[in-house]
Amino acid sequence: MRVGLLFGGCSGEHEVSIRSAGAIAKALTIGDNATKYEVVPVHICKDGSWISGPTAQQVLDSGQPLVEDASATTLAASARLSQRLPNLSDLDSVDIWFPVLHGPNGEDGTIQGLFEVLKMPYVGCGVLGSSLGMDKLAMKSAFAQIGLPQVKYCGVSRSQIYSNPCIFPKLCDDIEAELGYPCFVKPANLGSSVGIAKASNRRELEAALDSAASYDRRVIVEAAVVAREVECSILGNDNPQASVLGETKFNSEFYDYEAKYTDGSSQHLIPAPVPDDVRDRIQEMSIQAFRAIDGAGISRVDFFYVEETGEVLINEINTMPGFTATSMYPMMWQASGIDLPDLVDQLIQLGLERSA
Ligand SMILES: Nc1ncnc2c1ncn2[C@@H]1O[C@H](COP(=O)(O)OP(=O)(O)O)[C@@H](O)[C@H]1O
Ligand SMILES: [Mg+2]
């Protein structure tokens, strides 16, 4: 079976995606997988063009992005389309796609839509699940609908933030009255904490709104909570299974980009040291959240656990979590008795099952 491993992509998580794909490619050459699967690497450059063959293999092996030609973005639409897709024989030979893409243009339903149009099987969540999982406002509405507890939040649009100077102060007044300080301001559709800021006063709120609006038309503001950060991994289609929990600790003020990707600046505890009833509740809520977005195959669900009160609040669901050597998703399954080769095998089989 030929697995089209799609990696890189046009998001801030391009580099992480290359490393995730490297780990998956390796796992597909181990044990029974070696005779079962053949990897067809397809790299999406930062400019959106697709590359297959030896260059894609080289990116995968080196773990490093290509130095690129920015001229591609100035091409006409038809030229861009033909240039972006690798030669058709590569496409035809793929039996199932594994889109190892994080963030916008990959984890958000866009690539999933392309595979639907092509009628080709793929690993992971479909169009709806991926796009609901990407947009923090839409995701929170889906969670609220089934009564999952979450922090207080409100949605703001770029046009409100960039509105005339008479309206902006009123917007900030409303946010202050509704949520108070400190609060978190986030672009609705990014990942890896990019564009996220914690605001503790009016000046910081104004700056954070301005910054978040530069990344996205949709912005979310949340009341800040003081809590432990606990995660649970999901594997399955109609009968999703929940893994043992993991906990992430870090020294920074919040789990920002530096803490996520600088070696040694965060620690992972697996299994998370939480009481059994909290563990059970989080596993149950993870499965509910996965179903609420119409998840498929894979997801990692992140929570805030307020130890003093025992309260558990859902933070977010990630439909294509990282797969690097230090990523929580594969580590939580490892601790649950499923090693990486077995995990990628199961994910591919779940993708095939879903398309059948
Ligand atoms: N409401 C909140 N209260 C406290 N900390 C928060 C809150 N929202 C986000 N954070 C911190 O910011 C980090 C990134 O936020 P998150 O919503 O998970 O964005 P991303 O999708 O980029 O991972 C969280 O892991 C947490 O450390
Ligand atoms: Mg997060």
Side-chain angles (χ1 to χ4, degrees):
M1 176 155 300
R2 287 169 63 89
V3 180
L5 196 62
L6 196 56
F7 61 95
C10 313
S11 84
E13 290 156 291
H14 183 91
E15 285 79 5
V16 184
S17 161
I18 296 173
R19 286 196 278 138
S20 290
I24 291 170
K26 201 160 154 223
L28 286 170
T29 64
I30 292 171
D32 288 347
N33 287 352
T35 48
K36 225 164 146 182
Y37 300 116
E38 184 188 338
V39 174
V40 181
V42 179
H43 176 55
I44 303 183
C45 303
K46 285 182 183 168
D47 68 12
S49 44
W50 294 35
I51 293 176
S52 59
T55 311
Q57 187 66 51
Q58 176 222 313
V59 176
L60 196 57
D61 295 341
S62 69
Q64 297 295 327
L66 287 176
V67 179
E68 286 160 40
D69 172 13
S71 64
T73 48
T74 61
L75 293 175
S78 60
R80 238 172 23 229
L81 191 61
S82 57
Q83 192 211 43
R84 279 180 182 190
L85 299 180
N87 72 58
L88 287 177
S89 63
D90 272 355
L91 270 182
D92 288 343
S93 72
V94 167
D95 297 303
I96 182 165
W97 287 96
F98 200 142
V100 194
L101 300 165
H102 309 307
N105 287 304
E107 194 176 344
D108 59 354
T110 51
I111 287 288
Q112 291 74 13
L114 176 63
F115 296 143
E116 294 287 346
V117 169
L118 293 172
K119 295 198 182 304
M120 296 189 80
Y122 56 95
V123 170
C125 294
V127 173
L128 179 65
S130 301
S131 50
L132 277 175
M134 190 78 238
D135 186 286
K136 291 185 191 299
L137 285 163
M139 172 176 28
K140 284 191 184 291
S141 300
F143 293 161
Q145 183 67 28
I146 58 161
L148 288 175
Q150 25 190 359
V151 294
K152 257 179 117 177
Y153 68 94
C154 56
V156 190
S157 70
R158 175 188 284 160
S159 63
Q160 284 176 290
I161 294 168
Y162 290 169
S163 61
N164 72 54
C166 304
I167 297 176
F168 187 61
K170 169 82 171 68
L171 179 71
C172 294
D173 288 346
D174 290 348
I175 294 170
E176 277 176 352
E178 178 76 15
L179 306 174
Y181 293 115
C183 60
F184 274 83
V185 182
K186 316 175 181 181
N189 287 276
L190 277 182
S192 288
S193 302
V194 174
I196 295 183
K198 185 177 179 182
S200 300
N201 54 50
R202 179 68 166 236
R203 190 181 48 78
E204 288 174 4
L205 174 64
E206 289 171 356
L209 287 169
D210 201 60
S211 162
S214 73
Y215 289 98
D216 199 344
R217 286 171 37 251
R218 284 154 70 77
V219 170
I220 181 168
V221 188
E222 299 176 9
V225 68
V226 178
R228 289 166 59 187
E229 297 195 29
V230 178
E231 287 131 65
C232 179
S233 292
I234 297 288
L235 176 66
N237 287 335
D238 294 333
N239 286 306
Q241 304 299 306
S243 70
V244 302
L245 306 187
E247 176 169 8
T248 297
K249 296 203 175 272
F250 39 85
N251 306 322
S252 44
E253 177 139 30
F254 66 95
Y255 197 28
D256 58 12
Y257 190 91
E258 289 290 304
K260 283 180 180 173
Y261 299 117
T262 310
D263 281 346
S265 42
S266 62
Q267 298 82 45
H268 304 297
L269 307 177
I270 304 173
V274 298
D276 289 355
D277 66 306
V278 172
R279 176 202 61 206
D280 294 348
R281 237 187 314 147
I282 289 179
Q283 288 177 329
E284 180 55 31
M285 285 166 73
S286 298
I287 291 172
Q288 289 174 344
F290 183 77
R291 291 204 164 115
I293 64 153
D294 187 32
I298 176 173
S299 280
R300 194 194 72 225
V301 194
D302 301 348
F303 295 87
F304 296 124
Y305 167 45
V306 188
E307 202 170 2
E308 294 71 41
T309 60
E311 202 181 3
V312 172
L313 306 167
I314 188 164
N315 174 29
E316 63 166 340
I317 188 164
N318 295 281
T319 55
M320 190 47 73
F323 267 88
T324 68
T326 55
S327 294
M328 289 297 259
Y329 186 81
M331 291 198 294
M332 285 191 269
W333 281 118
Q334 179 83 48
S336 310
I338 301 178
D339 64 14
L340 188 58
D342 189 8
L343 184 61
V344 295
D345 178 35
Q346 289 200 40
L347 286 169
I348 292 169
Q349 295 305 319
L350 287 164
L352 292 170
E353 174 194 287
R354 188 160 177 274
S355 78

